[in-house]
Amino acid sequence: MVKKNPLRRLSVALRLTEAYQPAQSPDSMMNAPSLNQFLTDAKASYLKDVKEDPTKAAAWTVVMGNEAGGVWSLSSLERLTESFADLDTLASSIAYAWILSEVDKVLSVPLLPMERADLSLRAENLHALKMAGLSEDALLTLTELADFRPQKFALVDHNRLGPTYDPNAEVVAIIDHHHDEGFYLNANPRTISPCGSSASLVAALLPPEPPAELCTLLLTAVLLDTDGLKPGGKATDVDRSSALFVATKSTISNSIPPLSALSPIDNPDPDALYDAQAIKDLVSTLTLKKTDVSHLGGFDLLRRDYKEYTHPLPWVPSQPAIKVGLSTVPARLKAWGSDGRLEKDAVEWMRRRGLTILGVLTTFRDTKGKMLGKSGKHGKHKREMAWIILQETEMEQISAKGLTIDTLANRLFASLEADTEIEVKKHKKFDVEKSSHLPPKAKVKVYKQGNAQATRKAIAPLVKKTLESTGPSDSTAESGKEGPASKY
């Protein structure tokens, strides 16, 4: 009797590929090159075409994850390098490029939207690559592309190209777990489904016998994004089923109980892997590497895990737009931002990116106490946030058209303070409102965040709603007077 792969049922249920049928038989996969060799060959062939025949290069499908801060300026071909692929983006792009190339026989190459010199900013990525037997030299980064801009993309871990890309570029496929922004409706597949990790959705497209190294890479991403498949946490059934499949095919499969011991084939236990010691050990190692940023200064911390947004302001008569950045930093403010360092590094970063607003979102554990929390980790999980608004760049022009920095600041701060999900209160031990290290007219507030479970995925929509909503706040914006916080 042939064993059923639970992921095949999952793939059909999610309509990932309309009952995915691999172009190659399982036997043909036996002759496929190693994952590292695939990456090396794909990178070399693609760059050869880029150099010798841009027309041929434009036919390649470039699989790219979340590019965060952008890549190219269309007007000057200037590369914007502030983008640092996280592990989900890294694993998803490599895995989907392998599927396209080795299974569907489509010319494809994964691209990490970052400079090669910045690979070291994410130690967890390097550890996952090492576990998968992959060389950093085999990866394609922006450093190797010079001024060439790809024309055909498959997007993973996001579903919209940034505004700095060629607007005529074609998006042929999307696999993502974020909010659907409604673009590229002809992409095939176009899978945008909520779950803990995009790597889980990609794993559902693997053939029955994928490379063990690729399964290891995907497993690390799923585990890190779901806190080790913690029950009641971020993990969905998609994440658990995918993790169960790739774990038993990975290079660490000998370290975990057999699939039959973990879960029945036809009725998989959704939490089967969570208690496996090898999984717990791997999650602990990845988490420690991700949170160890002791070697980084404030400027690198701000750009290490960064997302950027452009928000129109319909409540201002001229209806301008401003740029907002959100940086997630895995260390308390006092550890790296005291004595004016936060203000200096933040202002430098904001000026480089042309930001009007920067939100610095910290996440850390209070290690003063030695008690173990429910998670088995030392210290209570805490979050802080610092917000800086500059009277520079776009604001100087916008101010002459009906908006002042005071109006913008009051609107943002009132919205944050009124929100019942994030539960902020003024940070009395890190007060920089009167800092001498800020430019004139700049506005800043620092909060402690009561709800430590509210991540950037909760903060970003709140900021979007605050800045882009019309309604009661229109009149206060036009008059320059602020209404009560409840209006925001």
Side-chain angles (χ1 to χ4, degrees), residues 298 302 333-334 336-348 388 430-432 435-438:
L302 291 174
L333 289 169
K334 186 178 180 181
W336 60 275
S338 299
D339 302 322
R341 288 177 292 172
L342 167 65
E343 303 94 283
K344 291 178 182 178
D345 290 330
V347 169
E348 181 182 354
I388 298 176
F430 200 92
D431 187 357
V432 295
S435 172
S436 61
H437 300 286
L438 288 170

Side-chain angles (χ1 to χ4, degrees), residues 36-347:
N36 196 73
Q37 191 61 52
F38 156 71
L39 292 173
T40 300
D41 293 346
K43 174 184 172 181
S45 297
Y46 179 63
L47 291 179
K48 182 175 184 293
D49 285 346
V50 167
K51 181 179 179 179
E52 299 178 0
D53 191 343
T55 302
K56 289 178 63 177
W60 283 69
T61 297
V62 174
V63 183
M64 186 177 69
N66 199 320
E67 70 269 17
V71 181
W72 289 280
S73 166
L74 293 177
S75 60
S76 64
L77 287 181
E78 175 189 5
R79 282 179 295 159
L80 307 177
T81 63
E82 329 306 344
S83 179
F84 311 103
D86 63 15
L87 187 50
D88 194 15
T89 275
L90 174 74
S92 296
S93 57
I94 290 175
Y96 192 56
W98 182 89
I99 291 171
L100 287 177
S101 297
E102 299 301 315
V103 179
D104 296 332
K105 298 303 178 184
V106 174
L107 274 178
S108 61
V109 61
L111 169 65
L112 296 186
M114 61 193 297
E115 296 293 334
R116 180 163 298 279
D118 294 328
L119 286 172
S120 62
L121 290 179
R122 287 188 174 272
E124 70 275 19
N125 287 5
L126 301 183
H127 182 73
L129 289 171
K130 184 177 180 180
M131 285 188 63
L134 301 180
S135 166
E136 294 177 41
D137 293 337
L139 303 177
L140 176 66
T141 70
L142 297 181
T143 301
E144 291 81 51
L145 280 189
D147 292 332
F148 181 80
R149 290 175 291 167
Q151 294 298 307
K152 184 186 296 185
F153 290 94
L155 304 183
V156 294
D157 199 26
H158 69 318
N159 60 81
R160 182 182 181 183
L161 284 172
T164 53
Y165 284 90
D166 187 340
N168 297 316
E170 182 183 10
V171 175
V172 298
I174 299 174
I175 302 177
D176 183 35
H177 66 144
H178 295 94
H179 172 71
D180 188 347
E181 297 196 43
F183 291 85
Y184 322 118
L185 300 182
N186 293 326
N188 186 22
R190 189 179 186 277
T191 302
I192 304 175
S193 180
C195 60
S197 177
S198 286
S200 298
L201 299 174
V202 177
L205 301 178
L206 290 171
E209 297 299 330
E213 295 82 4
L214 188 56
C215 289
T216 299
L217 190 62
L218 288 168
L219 178 63
T220 60
V222 176
L223 293 178
L224 191 58
D225 273 356
T226 62
D227 197 15
L229 304 171
K230 181 180 179 181
K234 300 177 183 178
T236 65
D237 287 344
V238 178
D239 301 299
R240 297 184 186 98
S241 297
S242 292
L244 192 64
F245 174 69
V246 295
T248 56
K249 301 288 185 179
S250 71
T251 58
I252 66 166
S253 60
N254 291 335
S255 301
I256 59 178
L259 180 60
S260 58
L262 285 173
S263 175
I265 289 292
D266 293 318
N267 187 25
D269 176 3
D271 300 322
L273 286 178
Y274 177 70
D275 289 322
Q277 190 58 48
I279 297 299
K280 288 184 175 293
D281 291 343
L282 177 54
V283 172
S284 178
T285 298
L286 289 169
T287 302
L288 284 173
K289 289 185 176 296
K290 180 178 180 179
T291 57
D292 182 10
V293 292
S294 57
H295 61 296
L296 300 178
F299 187 76
D300 282 342
L301 287 173
L302 291 174
R303 66 195 190 101
R304 174 183 175 273
D305 189 355
Y306 171 78
K307 305 290 183 184
E308 190 172 290
Y309 313 84
T310 298
H311 293 299
L313 308 179
W315 44 278
V316 179
S318 59
Q319 297 190 358
I322 61 173
K323 291 174 68 176
V324 177
L326 295 179
S327 297
T328 299
V329 179
R332 66 170 73 231
L333 289 169
K334 186 178 180 181
W336 60 275
S338 299
D339 302 322
R341 288 177 292 172
L342 167 65
E343 303 94 283
K344 291 178 182 178
D345 290 330
V347 169

